[in-house]
Amino acid sequence: MTKSFVQIMRAPQSHWVGDGFRVRSLFNYNGDTAAISPFLMLDYGDPHFFAPNDTGRPRGVGQHPHRGFETVTIVYDGEVSHRDSHGGGGTIGPGDVQWMTAGAGVIHEEFHSQAYSEKGGPFRMCQLWVNLPKKDKMVHPRYQAILDAEIPVVDFDGGKARLIAGELDGVKGAASTFTPMNIWDVKLSRAGEMTLNIPDGHNTMLVVMSGHIDAGGYRVNAGEAARYSVEGEGATFTAGENTVLLVLTGEPIDEPVVGHGPFVMNTVQEIHQAFADFQSGRFGGIPD
């Protein structure tokens, strides 16, 4: 039995994160967290064209904290530069991924790269928040820079998948994860019905980055996601031409989710502690 289509996930409007990222939050931890676990939030970055920036200050979002989860940033067009309080950082461009484990606490900043700012051009990205289980919420922060050339590619009938994380047809993805999940960048080479090989027991969301699919009799457009049941093997849909999907599947983490702003823990008391630790300087700082 294949997975059942459940719903279309969409955001009614876009908002700006800082002055460099115009996004639509397709889901977040304020909703049904059991249905999206182990994921917490997805910001779909609307395609945007930035003119050359001659101010000397790249657009983006300044220093801010996180605790208790991971951020995964995928770039399709443009360049993003990252720095954090634990020495992680670098610049990623089209096809690259930055995977930051906030764990016990980190302060970071994200801006357009200096080179991209100077020349401008198309910009398109997305950022995913991935939950950590209770036993790993206070791990030491780390940063994985995953370049396009390091991401394995698997061909299948109707397209190909870049395996950012997880496994497909015996091939393992590039990222190290704390719980079982799949994050695939899928490019479809034909229109028509197809089924992706997704395991039973995984929450499943197919995020349409460009093009469209039809799922459960409904059209799912760019900037929307189709959510499927946790039960069943494989997700079936009908693809339109030139469609790109971000496939998110994961084994649910059966633990409480308590989030407030940049912190996601298991209890309200842990959230209060996160704010206290941040305000007292225990997250460190980013060198000038």
Side-chain angles (χ1 to χ4, degrees), residues 154-273:
V154 172
D155 293 315
F156 60 89
D157 182 22
K160 62 181 180 180
R162 296 193 317 133
L163 308 188
I164 296 168
E167 184 174 341
L168 178 63
D169 294 347
V171 179
K172 293 187 177 181
S176 171
T177 68
F178 286 84
T179 61
M181 70 185 69
N182 294 304
I183 303 177
W184 305 336
D185 175 28
V186 173
K187 293 181 174 61
L188 303 175
S189 56
R190 65 170 173 82
E193 186 174 278
M194 56 189 69
T195 300
L196 292 175
N197 184 15
I198 294 169
D200 184 27
H202 276 213
N203 280 325
T204 300
M205 289 162 283
L206 308 184
V207 184
V208 182
M209 299 302 299
S210 61
H212 75 274
I213 63 173
D214 291 302
Y218 296 91
R219 181 179 172 115
V220 188
N221 296 310
E224 300 177 340
R227 184 169 74 85
Y228 288 76
S229 64
V230 68
E231 302 87 4
E233 293 185 358
T236 299
F237 59 92
T238 301
E241 294 183 4
N242 302 317
T243 295
V244 176
L245 302 177
L246 182 64
V247 177
L248 307 175
T249 91
E251 186 176 288
I253 300 172
D254 187 18
E255 295 174 357
V257 174
V258 179
H260 189 92
F263 306 131
V264 182
M265 303 300 289
N266 298 113
T267 67
V268 172
Q269 291 76 16
E270 290 170 339
I271 294 293
H272 291 162
Q273 187 64 53

Side-chain angles (χ1 to χ4, degrees), residues 27-223:
F27 57 82
N28 61 58
Y29 61 67
N30 292 315
D32 183 357
T33 55
I36 61 174
S37 180
F39 309 111
L40 294 167
M41 186 188 79
L42 179 74
D43 277 349
Y44 166 90
D46 284 326
H48 192 77
F49 187 93
F50 286 95
N53 179 5
D54 58 4
T55 66
R57 177 193 173 278
R59 298 179 178 93
V61 57
Q63 297 185 19
H64 57 283
H66 292 301
R67 171 179 278 182
F69 62 97
E70 305 179 284
T71 66
V72 181
T73 304
I74 305 167
V75 174
Y76 292 85
D77 293 300
E79 291 183 342
V80 176
S81 293
H82 163 104
R83 292 198 308 154
D84 67 46
S85 55
H86 287 265
T91 296
I92 58 172
D96 300 337
V97 178
Q98 64 178 23
W99 192 302
M100 186 189 75
T101 303
V106 71
I107 297 171
H108 78 146
E109 62 182 26
E110 299 160 289
F111 286 94
H112 296 175
S113 73
Q114 189 67 46
Y116 171 79
S117 293
E118 291 173 356
K119 66 183 180 183
F123 192 85
R124 191 164 57 105
M125 50 72 68
C126 68
Q127 185 173 92
L128 174 71
W129 287 15
V130 178
N131 201 10
L132 290 170
K134 182 178 178 62
K135 67 181 182 63
D136 296 315
K137 281 193 174 291
M138 297 296 285
V139 298
H140 189 76
R142 69 180 184 185
Y143 176 83
Q144 301 177 70
I146 306 171
L147 302 181
D148 182 26
E150 300 169 343
I151 299 175
V153 178
V154 172
D155 293 315
F156 60 89
D157 182 22
K160 62 181 180 180
R162 296 193 317 133
L163 308 188
I164 296 168
E167 184 174 341
L168 178 63
D169 294 347
V171 179
K172 293 187 177 181
S176 171
T177 68
F178 286 84
T179 61
M181 70 185 69
N182 294 304
I183 303 177
W184 305 336
D185 175 28
V186 173
K187 293 181 174 61
L188 303 175
S189 56
R190 65 170 173 82
E193 186 174 278
M194 56 189 69
T195 300
L196 292 175
N197 184 15
I198 294 169
D200 184 27
H202 276 213
N203 280 325
T204 300
M205 289 162 283
L206 308 184
V207 184
V208 182
M209 299 302 299
S210 61
H212 75 274
I213 63 173
D214 291 302
Y218 296 91
R219 181 179 172 115
V220 188
N221 296 310

